[in-house]
Structure formats: structure tokens, C-alpha cells
Amino acid sequence: MTDEEYMKMALDEAVKGTGRVSPNPLVGAVIVRDGRIIAKGYHHFCGGLHAERDALKNCTEDAAGSTMYVTLEPCCHTGRQPPCTQAIIDSGIKRVVIGSGDPNPLVSGKGAEILRDHGIEVKEYVLEKECREVNEIFFYYITTGRPFVTMKYAMTADGKIATKSGLSKWITGDIARENVHKDRNRYTAIMVGTGTVIADDPELTCRIEGGRDPVRIICDTRLRTPLESRIVKTSKDIRTIICTGVSDNEKLSPYIEAGCEMLSVPEKDGHIDIEKMMSFLGKMEIDSILLEGGGTLNWSVLSSGCVSKVQTYIAPKIFGGIAGSPVGGEGVEMPSDAFELYDSKIIRLGDDIMIESRVKNSVHGNS
């Protein structure tokens, strides 16, 4: 088998940690000796063994003289776990094949250099594109300190997000909705505005077997989230952060007593300052957000430059009439002012389609 084929196996290992490793990267490793796979491993959860150490633990025979395939450059510093470079050196592995470099300044280039300094042959950038894609969230978060935000919405073929009576359940079919729940498992947090909470009283949970519920973030400038809402009532069981411009302790205390975390965010133009909010959330190790807001919040986050990716679910239906846009706000004045999307891919989900695109003009740079 080729280096590329073994690296593909390591990638298959890496994704097993989806939804469990935040804010760490997804990493997989495979150890091969004399053409035989003697171990596989991956990073199971934040704070747990890194992929390299997990693979070494799983070895069916002595790893000395073998080759390790790892999707991300091995760490060389002590964090929640000791450096993986030392474990590799101690194991007697003679060759390490790396998928992508690690942008973390504590690691970047240093891990590979340490291995070479100890006489280990290192080959880099095997399936680099695929390895980087697996960790697009980590790469963005570690370089900006802010969450990677994906804005998701569903609409009909004529661009409607609700019927004339305001009903929106359900625009898309079961397969598309299941895909959304897979993303809720993948992303650290889900974000909506208080308008969505008042209108829909959602739980914002993950409903796939073995999945984990995302942290729920509510943008609520004036603190209008109903205390009797399902979000508040379940906040002791599911981590819930309410971002608000209200600082009155008397108004905050009922939410705190219910189990909500209250994040005070300064206001900008009558709403909470989105950029400052993202900075605060990044410091709380919220590395990724699935934005499922209404038109107002979607516009606020998009226009702040904090959206990295857009997922547009389109159902083969026509509602007609007048309904709100997936992205509201004041809109742009000139066509040339549009928020440009690029690198789009189309995914068929039953009868529906999902167009996933990157946002070109993010103030924090293209991810």
C-alpha cells in the first residue's frame, strides 16, 4: 500500500473523534511495520490521549522500526497531554508521515524538526488538502482566537422561509434534517436569537444516536428570553449561554438560578456587539458555532464579518406570497457590495439539496 492509502486510513480514524475533541483538533494515526498495520488510534476526547499515544497504546507488537502515519504534525509541548514527539522517539519508530502542519505557534514546524533531530525520517504534506479540511475549525480557531461560524438556513425554491401564516415546519425532508443534527453534534455550539426562542420555543438539541448536545448560545440584547421557555428550563442539563446587553443583577438572577450562564456584551448600534461577543466566546473555548438564527441575527453576524461558511438548504417546493428572507437587515445597496461566496459544493439530501459555500469577505480572513 502507498503512503496516501495509509494516510486515508488515518483520516478515517481522525473523524471518529467528531464532536468530542473541541477545542482540540481531530487527529488519527496508523502504525505500519513490514507492510502490516500493527495499530490504529485517534484523539477520543479533549484531555484524553492524543492519536499518536493512543495508537502506540494499541500496538499488537513492538513499534520499533515501524512507520507512523499521522494526520497532523505531532505536538512537541506539554498541554493537557505530554508531547507526542517524545512518545514517538521513545517507541523507536523510524519513519513518520505527516498529513498537515499544525498552525499552533507552539508546534508549527517544531514537531517535525524535533523528530528529524532524533534521526527519524519525516515525510510531510501527504493528503494535505484532505487533512486540512478535517480540521478547518481548529485551523481557524487557533489562528484567530474566535469561533468558526457556519450560517445555516432552509428555504423553498422561491426563497421563502415560511408560509403566509408564518409556519416553517417542515420545509426540508427527514434526510436534510438528519444532516443538520449531525452538524449539531460536530459543532461546539448552536446560536439563535431571542426572536427564534419566543416564536418556536426550540430545544436546540442533537437528535442522532450517540450524539452530544451543542452548547446553546442565545443572542438577547434586551433579555427577553422567556423564563418558561424550554431553553431556560433545561439549562441545568444542557450548557446554555445568554449573551445580553443587560447588566442589572435583579434581571439576570432568575436566569442564573435556572442554570444559564450570562455573558455581558457591550452594545453597538442598539444590538450586542457581534465581534466582541465572538471574541469573548473564543476565550471560553467555544471554537465553532452553527448559526441557526432568523433573518435579523443572520444579517448581524454576516455583516460583522464573522461568518466563514454558509449552508443553504433548498427544498423543491414553492410557497409564494410574502415571507421573510433567510438574511434580513438593511441589506447591501449595490450589487457590487454583495457578500461573495466561493468554493461552493452541492450535496443532495433526499429530495432536497444543500449548497455549502465559503464567505470571501470575512473580516478575519478566508479560512
Side-chain angles (χ1 to χ4, degrees), residues 16-18 20-21 41-46 48-49 54 57-58:
K16 292 178 181 178
T18 298
R20 298 290 189 273
V21 304
Y42 67 98
H43 186 32
H44 290 245
F45 59 91
C46 182
L49 291 177
D54 188 49
K57 173 179 68 71
N58 296 333

Side-chain angles (χ1 to χ4, degrees), residues 153-169:
Y153 55 83
M155 66 182 192
T156 61
D158 58 337
K160 302 299 188 295
I161 60 172
T163 65
K164 65 179 182 180
S165 61
L167 297 177
S168 59
K169 293 183 179 180

Side-chain angles (χ1 to χ4, degrees), residues 22-23 188-191 203-205 212-218 230-232 234-242 258-263 280-287:
S22 168
T188 298
I190 183 171
M191 177 181 287
E203 286 188 305
L204 304 179
T205 54
R212 48 155 282 282
D213 292 325
V215 177
R216 302 176 302 190
I217 301 173
I218 313 302
R230 289 193 285 181
I231 289 286
V232 175
T234 57
S235 59
K236 288 184 178 178
D237 300 316
I238 305 170
R239 188 181 179 191
T240 302
I241 303 171
I242 299 181
C260 299
E261 296 178 38
M262 307 306 291
L263 180 61
F280 294 161
L281 291 171
K283 290 180 173 65
M284 297 168 71
E285 294 195 335
I286 302 293
D287 67 347

Side-chain angles (χ1 to χ4, degrees), residues 1 74 99 103 113 186 195 200 221 250 276 292 341 354:
M1 292 177 65
E113 182 181 3
R186 176 187 175 206
D200 299 337
T221 306
E250 188 174 338
K276 282 188 169 59
E292 294 195 25
L341 307 180
M354 191 263 281

Side-chain angles (χ1 to χ4, degrees), residues 23 29 80 127 162 167-168 210 250 278 311 341 358:
R80 292 182 173 95
L127 296 188
L167 297 177
S168 59
E250 188 174 338
M278 292 298 176
Q311 291 180 338
L341 307 180
R358 297 182 181 275

